[in-house]
Amino acid sequence: MKILILGAGKMGSFFTDVLSFEHECAVYEIDPKRMRFLYNTQRFTTLEEIDEFRPELVINAVTLKHTIDVFRQVIPHLPESCIISDISSVKTDLKAFYESTGMRYVSTHPMFGPTFANLGALSNENAIVITEGDYMGRIFFLELYRRLGLNVHEYTFDEHDEAMAYSLSVPFVSTFVFSAVMKHQDAPGTTFKRHLKIARGVLSEDDTLLREILFNPRTKSHVEQIRSELKDLIAIIDRRDEAALNDYLTRIRSNIQ
């Protein structure tokens, strides 16, 4: 299959490495320096090169902020039969955009990083394939992700956004709170250092991604739950209530078993 990958960042490079030995691949990237380490793939810096390549599948791996804009630039240069796809972690507006194009499409979310995951050992990582869209496109990604050893789940766009509102917003907001009150430690403990490492990873993410996670309409209720839990914990601390603290610790320990 002729596959065009948009963007030569960490995920674009990952897909190039994974696919280029079984498929004819090309990468479109406006900054040629970002493509200097890509192997066994064609490197495009102009839209005219896409015209000549005539891809059968496009994987949009640019940052969330530019995903739809890059699609709009590239689609006029694609064959009508081409399948377009994204790997965005936030799907807001993508379903409506896809349907407006009239093109075949598939949407997935590889949930393995690259901030924290070991891209060489993905058996403990997950991927989501959206059930809406082109059947053959879904089959391609289902087979790819399973071959990589990922745990694959199939959600609708709405189910994906609901799941991400919880699984992204809760740890991200918790990390924001840690970062907001953090002070430099000359002799940090192990737990502190682990939280600091997570915080640095989260805050290295693209601001657009962080904004879309927070502004997801489903996020607010989860943030309000965090606020409610903090209020209850503060009340226990104020009262120095050992019985209430024991009940609290029992409850939260059961949540993570």
Side-chain angles (χ1 to χ4, degrees), residues 221-236:
S221 63
H222 298 300
V223 178
E224 288 174 339
Q225 185 178 2
I226 293 174
R227 180 173 62 184
S228 176
E229 289 292 335
L230 289 173
K231 181 180 178 181
D232 292 344
L233 184 57
I234 290 171
I236 292 172

Side-chain angles (χ1 to χ4, degrees), residues 15-34:
F15 276 95
T16 303
D17 290 343
V18 167
L19 295 169
S20 62
F21 286 92
E22 295 184 5
H23 302 276
E24 184 179 352
C25 291
V27 176
Y28 173 66
E29 168 63 62
I30 58 175
D31 181 0
K33 292 181 180 179
R34 301 187 76 187

Side-chain angles (χ1 to χ4, degrees), residues 19 22 35 62-63 70 90 102 105 107 126 133 177 188 223 240 249:
L19 295 169
E22 295 184 5
M35 297 189 286
V62 304
T63 58
V70 171
V90 179
Y105 70 86
S107 185
N126 299 300
V177 172
V223 178
R240 302 180 65 84
L249 293 175

Side-chain angles (χ1 to χ4, degrees), residues 86-193:
D86 74 277
I87 57 170
S88 300
S89 54
V90 179
K91 305 294 185 185
T92 307
D93 299 328
L94 274 169
K95 181 180 180 181
F97 170 76
Y98 279 135
E99 292 177 348
S100 73
T101 67
M103 297 194 68
R104 301 165 67 191
Y105 70 86
V106 60
S107 185
T108 77
H109 180 187
M111 300 178 67
F112 47 82
T115 301
F116 298 114
N118 177 359
L119 299 184
L122 299 174
S123 59
N124 293 323
E125 306 297 340
N126 299 300
I128 293 172
V129 175
I130 302 300
T131 56
E132 297 146 282
D134 184 79
Y135 173 77
M136 293 307 298
R138 297 200 309 274
I139 294 299
F140 176 87
F141 281 100
L142 286 169
E143 292 179 349
L144 172 63
Y145 290 152
R146 286 168 180 158
R147 179 165 56 85
L148 292 172
L150 292 161
N151 302 297
V152 184
H153 307 271
E154 297 185 70
Y155 292 170
T156 65
F157 277 108
D158 284 342
E159 289 169 341
H160 172 274
D161 286 349
E162 177 60 38
M164 292 308 102
Y166 174 78
S167 65
L168 292 179
S169 66
V170 170
F172 276 36
V173 170
S174 299
T175 299
F176 293 167
V177 172
F178 169 81
S179 302
V181 301
M182 195 193 75
K183 297 180 181 179
H184 175 73
Q185 300 291 309
D186 291 327
T190 301
T191 302
F192 183 92
K193 288 190 289 185

